Amino acid sequence: MSNATYNGQWAGAMAELAEQVHLEDPTLEAEEGAPEPEPVRPTSIAQAFQHFACLYIKYLQIFRKLERCYDGMVHPQKRLAVLKVLELVMQRVVELKHSLVKYSPPPPVVQQDKSFPWEYVNLDSVLVDLKLPPDTLEVPVPKYFREDSAEARKVRDKIVEGYMQVKHGVTEIPLESSDGAQDSGSIPLDKAIEIIQLNERGRQGKERATLVKVLREEEKRRKAYDAAHGGAELDQDVASIEIQRTLRGLVARNRASRLRDRELIFLGMRPSITENVDRE
């Protein structure tokens, strides 16, 4: 993407961040000399959990946007500015996660005599209320973690290779499988044929089920049509009524068409038949 795109995402993330900061601390909007408004505090544990859950999800969204901006930007000064805000947002995400753990009681099946922190926070109801997908709660690892620690990892690998050379006389030791068998990545021919046959039977079964479903739908529509139109054989009275209805509709449409043409000719929006004959 272009530089302007990342600048736009950065501006949007900063606007959302400023909005969240003012929501958390309304005293920032107070003018000088004016009485500071009191912050809204939750009155119950459930309200506190709902409040921190909404903040946590919103800060996660801002964190993703800033991480994408930092990874895609090229301007060094802008990257430094985005990095500072990104680190502060990550710290705030961790703080909100601790608050969620504090105000989220464990399920009844794991209740104990003494209270203990329950790290597995359930935010499904909050996601449903906000109409967000489950992947909103996934915390991505910033790509700059690996980029910034590349030199440190190289030094670590050299130290590990040195210790292995001193202790074992080699620079690397291949890992053995847990069951001791060689994993060549291939399967026996009989097993492969069985898997192919199983997949083919499943595919044919799905096709037959789809065909049967289509045939049933067509049969259902045909029966509904026959029932609405009296079936294949109509009574003489019903047939005469249908013919009269069709003929009357045709006559009415023709009459309406003639009246519309006369009105257009009267208004001067369409030439009359005599004018066309004179022109010819």
Side-chain angles (χ1 to χ4, degrees), residues 102-160:
K102 178 180 178 181
Y103 289 102
S104 175
V109 294
V110 294
Q111 288 284 1
Q112 295 183 359
D113 297 337
K114 296 182 180 180
S115 61
F116 66 100
W118 182 250
E119 297 289 342
Y120 303 98
V121 182
N122 185 11
L123 300 177
D124 294 343
S125 59
V126 181
L127 291 178
V128 172
D129 295 338
L130 298 177
K131 298 180 180 180
L132 295 174
D135 56 359
T136 307
L137 299 177
E138 295 181 2
V139 182
V141 179
K143 297 179 181 178
Y144 74 90
F145 280 1
R146 290 182 58 85
E147 297 175 359
D148 295 347
S149 61
E151 296 296 332
R153 285 187 284 108
K154 289 182 181 179
V155 174
R156 180 201 61 189
D157 294 340
K158 290 182 179 179
I159 294 175
V160 172

Side-chain angles (χ1 to χ4, degrees), residues 54-92:
C54 294
L55 290 178
Y56 177 75
I57 294 174
K58 191 63 180 179
Y59 272 100
L60 271 181
Q61 294 176 338
I62 297 173
F63 164 61
R64 286 196 183 89
K65 293 181 180 179
L66 291 175
E67 196 275 331
R68 286 197 298 267
C69 292
Y70 180 78
D71 183 62
M73 280 186 174
V74 181
H75 199 285
Q77 285 79 11
K78 290 182 180 179
R79 284 173 59 87
L80 290 176
V82 174
L83 179 60
K84 291 181 181 179
V85 181
L86 180 59
E87 291 178 348
L88 293 175
V89 171
M90 287 191 293
Q91 294 177 8
R92 183 56 180 157

Side-chain angles (χ1 to χ4, degrees), residues 75-240:
H75 199 285
Q77 285 79 11
K78 290 182 180 179
R79 284 173 59 87
L80 290 176
V82 174
L83 179 60
K84 291 181 181 179
V85 181
L86 180 59
E87 291 178 348
L88 293 175
V89 171
M90 287 191 293
Q91 294 177 8
R92 183 56 180 157
V93 169
V94 175
E95 293 175 357
L96 291 172
K97 182 59 180 294
H98 286 297
S99 299
L100 288 176
V101 172
K102 178 180 178 181
Y103 289 102
S104 175
V109 294
V110 294
Q111 288 284 1
Q112 295 183 359
D113 297 337
K114 296 182 180 180
S115 61
F116 66 100
W118 182 250
E119 297 289 342
Y120 303 98
V121 182
N122 185 11
L123 300 177
D124 294 343
S125 59
V126 181
L127 291 178
V128 172
D129 295 338
L130 298 177
K131 298 180 180 180
L132 295 174
D135 56 359
T136 307
L137 299 177
E138 295 181 2
V139 182
V141 179
K143 297 179 181 178
Y144 74 90
F145 280 1
R146 290 182 58 85
E147 297 175 359
D148 295 347
S149 61
E151 296 296 332
R153 285 187 284 108
K154 289 182 181 179
V155 174
R156 180 201 61 189
D157 294 340
K158 290 182 179 179
I159 294 175
V160 172
E161 289 178 1
Y163 279 119
M164 293 176 63
Q165 186 69 30
V166 172
K167 296 293 184 179
H168 304 283
V170 295
T171 57
E172 61 180 10
I173 299 177
L175 298 177
E176 298 180 357
S177 103
S178 58
D179 55 357
Q182 295 181 354
D183 187 9
S184 59
S186 61
I187 57 177
L189 181 60
D190 298 340
K191 185 66 175 179
I193 295 175
E194 183 180 355
I195 294 174
I196 294 173
Q197 291 177 347
L198 182 62
N199 293 334
E200 181 63 20
R201 290 168 186 166
R203 185 187 66 80
Q204 294 179 0
K206 290 181 179 179
E207 289 184 354
R208 285 195 297 270
T210 304
L211 180 60
V212 171
K213 183 179 179 181
V214 172
L215 294 176
R216 287 180 178 176
E217 292 293 335
E218 292 180 355
E219 182 68 17
K220 184 178 179 181
R221 287 194 296 267
R222 186 184 63 79
K223 290 182 178 179
Y225 179 83
D226 293 342
H229 294 77
E233 296 182 358
L234 294 178
D235 188 13
Q236 185 176 2
D237 296 336
V238 176
S240 61

Side-chain angles (χ1 to χ4, degrees), residues 215-271:
L215 294 176
R216 287 180 178 176
E217 292 293 335
E218 292 180 355
E219 182 68 17
K220 184 178 179 181
R221 287 194 296 267
R222 186 184 63 79
K223 290 182 178 179
Y225 179 83
D226 293 342
H229 294 77
E233 296 182 358
L234 294 178
D235 188 13
Q236 185 176 2
D237 296 336
V238 176
S240 61
I241 292 174
E242 288 293 326
I243 294 172
Q244 292 176 7
R245 180 180 63 83
T246 305
L247 183 59
R248 288 173 182 173
L250 178 61
V251 172
R253 286 192 294 272
N254 292 335
R255 185 185 302 113
S257 178
R258 288 195 300 270
L259 292 175
R260 182 172 60 253
D261 293 340
R262 291 177 183 177
E263 183 178 2
L264 292 176
I265 294 171
F266 176 75
L267 295 174
M269 300 177 65
R270 175 179 294 181

